[in-house]
Amino acid sequence: MLIERVRIKDFWNKYSFDWRLNEDVNILSGVNGSGKSTLLNIIHSALYSGTLHSTVKNKIKEVDIELTEGYRVICEHKNDQIVTIYKHNGLEMSKSDMDSLRVEFIPLFNFPISGKYFLGPEMYKYQNEFRSKINEMFSLTNKRLDDTTSKLRFVLEDGTIIYPCDLSSGEKRLLNFLTFIQIQDGQDFILLWDEPETSMCIDWQRSIIRVAREINPSVQLILATHSPSIIYEGWEKRVMNMEDLLE
């Protein structure tokens, strides 16, 4: 289940908003303060929690999210309360009937990754692709995944073991992102990411979308960024300027 369209009434209490999304990659650009991060928060809280987060609920009147397979989620203000309606092909349903919806959000200041991830050889459909791409990205610092254990850890050329909690901030963000992609095991998955370029070198910024799509071709990426390097590998047509979406 992926997002097809997002409509918002009274965004920032004054704009109408209508965005038709691509099923693969969507890149939001715009000046600081244009609402990119707020938009990601609105989408995630509506789909993940079935409500609107306290930081955004007073900034809109209603959000209407159309999904593939005829699903729809509507969050609206009614009598100072947030009311959420779930629909399938026009008929109301419960949130529990949307068990195929998978959505995650990596905010600008995301939680640090732990050292408790495992990579059992039978666990994931794209296991080998994941290992290959992780090794490709981390080769810049001469790290590779330790293939002698199911634990997610790295080994240096001299045999030194490095656990995820000991990685740099940029490495943690990258590993966090790619692990989110991997554990969906090739299924439809919506991933929102605010400023993915933060703490990442130019080479990683340029290849991050391609690598993510190679690990899981079914992921729908929704990124908010200021970095031209993110669109380096031919993603220019997937860029939407935030100011152009506000009416």
Side-chain angles (χ1 to χ4, degrees):
M1 193 182 303
L2 305 173
I3 300 173
E4 291 186 335
R5 187 178 187 182
V6 177
R7 286 177 289 181
I8 300 175
K9 291 182 181 178
D10 291 345
F11 188 59
W12 294 117
N13 298 311
K14 60 180 177 178
Y15 295 110
S16 295
F17 180 97
D18 191 346
W19 186 20
R20 295 181 183 272
L21 284 79
N22 305 299
E23 65 178 14
D24 51 3
V25 177
N26 302 270
I27 303 171
L28 279 170
S29 66
V31 299
N32 292 94
S34 59
K36 301 184 298 300
S37 299
T38 299
L39 176 59
L40 297 187
N41 270 288
I42 290 170
I43 295 172
H44 179 255
S45 58
L47 294 182
Y48 185 82
S49 305
T51 185
L52 294 176
H53 192 272
S54 59
T55 59
V56 299
K57 69 178 183 180
N58 293 321
K59 296 177 181 178
I60 67 171
K61 182 177 181 181
E62 177 185 294
V63 57
D64 184 344
I65 303 176
E66 296 179 18
L67 301 147
T68 53
E69 305 171 35
Y71 290 94
R72 190 172 173 186
V73 178
I74 304 169
C75 292
E76 58 183 338
H77 277 281
K78 282 189 177 180
N79 301 320
D80 295 325
Q81 300 290 325
I82 300 296
V83 177
T84 303
I85 302 170
Y86 300 92
K87 291 186 177 183
H88 183 228
N89 294 328
L91 301 176
E92 288 196 28
M93 52 179 281
S94 68
K95 186 176 188 292
S96 60
D97 294 321
M98 299 183 65
D99 55 1
S100 63
L101 175 63
R102 295 174 175 83
V103 58
E104 285 288 355
F105 178 36
I106 303 179
L108 178 57
F109 301 105
N110 64 296
F111 56 88
I113 198 167
S114 73
K116 298 180 180 179
Y117 288 94
F118 292 84
L119 293 172
E122 74 289 348
M123 285 179 65
Y124 305 119
K125 180 178 179 181
Y126 292 94
Q127 175 72 270
N128 291 335
E129 193 68 37
F130 176 74
R131 287 183 176 275
S132 172
K133 296 307 172 184
I134 287 288
N135 287 337
E136 172 189 333
M137 300 293 272
F138 279 79
S139 65
L140 292 176
T141 52
N142 299 311
K143 297 183 184 74
R144 61 175 176 80
L145 282 174
D146 185 354
D147 57 11
T148 66
T149 177
S150 61
K151 291 183 179 181
L152 197 161
R153 67 185 191 185
F154 295 84
V155 59
L156 300 179
E157 292 179 336
D158 63 2
T160 301
I161 299 297
I162 303 292
Y163 289 93
C165 58
D166 296 320
L167 296 173
S168 71
S169 59
E171 289 173 322
K172 287 176 182 176
R173 282 177 65 84
L174 177 67
L175 187 58
N176 204 0
F177 170 65
L178 296 181
T179 302
F180 273 145
I181 300 290
Q182 157 71 0
I183 61 179
Q184 304 308 316
D185 203 20
Q187 300 179 74
D188 283 356
F189 174 49
I190 302 163
L191 183 58
L192 305 107
W193 195 359
D194 194 11
E195 299 192 25
E197 67 271 17
T198 303
S199 299
M200 288 196 186
C201 65
I202 296 297
D203 287 344
W204 280 3
Q205 292 180 37
R206 289 176 172 177
S207 57
I208 189 65
I209 293 177
R210 170 183 57 80
V211 168
R213 295 281 302 166
E214 289 173 345
I215 290 175
N216 182 356
S218 299
V219 66
Q220 182 181 40
L221 296 175
I222 304 174
L223 312 177
T225 183
H226 295 282
S227 173
S229 297
I230 295 292
I231 65 173
Y232 181 78
E233 293 189 350
W235 299 106
E236 295 90 344
K237 293 183 179 180
R238 297 293 195 272
V239 177
M240 177 60 69
N241 192 289
M242 191 69 186
E243 289 83 350
D244 293 337
L245 291 170
L246 302 177
E247 298 178 358

